[in-house]
Amino acid sequence: MTASLEQLRRCHLAVDLGAARTRVYVKGDGLVVDQPSVAAVNTRTGALIAVGEFAQRMTGRTPGYIRVVRPVSGGTVVDIEMAQRMLRHLLGDKVRRSLRRRPRLRAAACTPHDADPLARRATVETLVGLGARRVELVDTLIAAAVGCGLPVERPEASMIMVCGAAATQVAVLSLGAIVAAERIPVGGEAVDHAIVQHLRHRHELMLPGQSVRPLQLALSGNGLTPHGPASTEVHGRDVATGLARSVRVDTAAVRDAIQTPLTAVLDGIGKVLRDCPPDLVADLVDRGVTMVGGSALLPGLDEMLRQATGMPVHVAERPDVCAVQGLGAMLEGRVEPLALDSLAS
């Protein structure tokens, strides 16, 4: 972390390309972009019609010649050209002009913990296509830990859980490095899918595309905890007739439906703790787990983890922007590394 901090201070912008949202931090200006990673394209002409929030609202509502695409999947760029076009429009002319005036533009970007060389290369090429002469890659786990204020540079354990749309990453950090980490291919989308399938099989109801953030819809109040509402009304389309229909859903059954994906997350946390030295695990009894990422806001998820692990579980303030804010803190020089100089023999 010490060597890379010096390189990061020379960067001009930081990018967090997530499966759900794209965020851009410009040095001196702060967070300038926080939009969904979605673009709408006219398949007849190849023209880009919309990006961000407007493109997301078009999902499931477009005629045949308009296609809504997501160029980022699981934190990895799967369509480099479309990701570049999307980023150009999200940044806007004013920000792009100011960045072009920087000599030898440098950029930093988050990458998932176990990203393979091909995924890293795709991220680099995306930013090089925007004019960056050099791209520094930072592990999402470290960036998020810095962004939520964990003392990652100290010789004590900090446990972080990055709850993304496509995957959940869990790690224990100490002395500015990752001691043990695990990436579980279960995220907010898997929880959404479990609830959608439950409503389809149990109630023969299909949710509209814009309602598939269903924990806010089907689990209000205390969310996943047994103290939440006993039932709630959900609107959708009948599977057999295709007509609009409303059903009253038992939230206890919904809680059971999402146990399967969440069990995988609990198994991942257990594996990380087993791979850690006992001294670091002892630190976590008091410090607990800090949750970041957009899916950390799922109601009641923190309480469920608290009951399963027996450790304190905290949701970071503004958990969805912790990673890009952490990169921004490194760019601005607000992170001081712990000096570990070699002792003279």
Side-chain angles (χ1 to χ4, degrees), residues 70-87:
R70 294 181 176 270
V72 184
S73 176
T76 301
V77 178
V78 293
D79 187 337
I80 295 174
E81 182 188 356
M82 187 56 65
Q84 289 173 349
R85 295 174 69 185
M86 180 185 75
L87 271 172

Side-chain angles (χ1 to χ4, degrees), residues 32-170:
V32 297
V33 172
D34 184 3
Q35 294 277 341
S37 305
V38 187
V41 186
N42 186 324
T43 56
R44 294 173 181 170
T45 63
L48 200 62
I49 296 172
V51 295
E53 296 280 2
F54 187 44
Q56 188 175 49
R57 289 202 302 272
M58 295 168 69
T59 305
R61 302 170 185 270
T62 59
Y65 66 91
I66 296 177
R67 188 164 59 99
V68 177
V69 296
R70 294 181 176 270
V72 184
S73 176
T76 301
V77 178
V78 293
D79 187 337
I80 295 174
E81 182 188 356
M82 187 56 65
Q84 289 173 349
R85 295 174 69 185
M86 180 185 75
L87 271 172
R88 285 194 197 101
H89 283 79
L90 288 176
L91 284 170
D93 293 336
K94 184 179 177 182
V95 176
R96 292 205 333 263
R97 276 197 301 270
S98 70
L99 290 175
R100 277 199 293 266
R101 288 197 290 267
R102 313 276 178 108
R104 294 190 63 82
L105 179 67
R106 290 173 176 245
C110 290
T111 55
H113 172 63
D114 60 350
D116 56 52
L118 198 61
R120 292 171 178 268
R121 173 92 184 200
T123 302
V124 171
E125 286 189 14
T126 300
L127 297 183
V128 167
L130 291 175
R133 301 291 295 273
R134 184 181 174 92
V135 179
E136 306 290 348
L137 298 180
V138 180
D139 196 301
T140 302
L141 290 163
I142 292 180
V146 171
C148 65
L150 291 178
V152 293
E153 73 282 356
R154 298 187 178 278
E156 55 192 52
S158 298
M159 190 169 190
I160 189 161
M161 179 173 162
V162 180
C163 309
T168 300
Q169 301 175 72
V170 185

Side-chain angles (χ1 to χ4, degrees), residues 236-253:
R237 189 182 78 185
D238 190 280
V239 172
T241 65
L243 301 175
R245 186 161 66 91
S246 299
V247 297
R248 185 151 289 276
V249 176
D250 179 15
T251 53

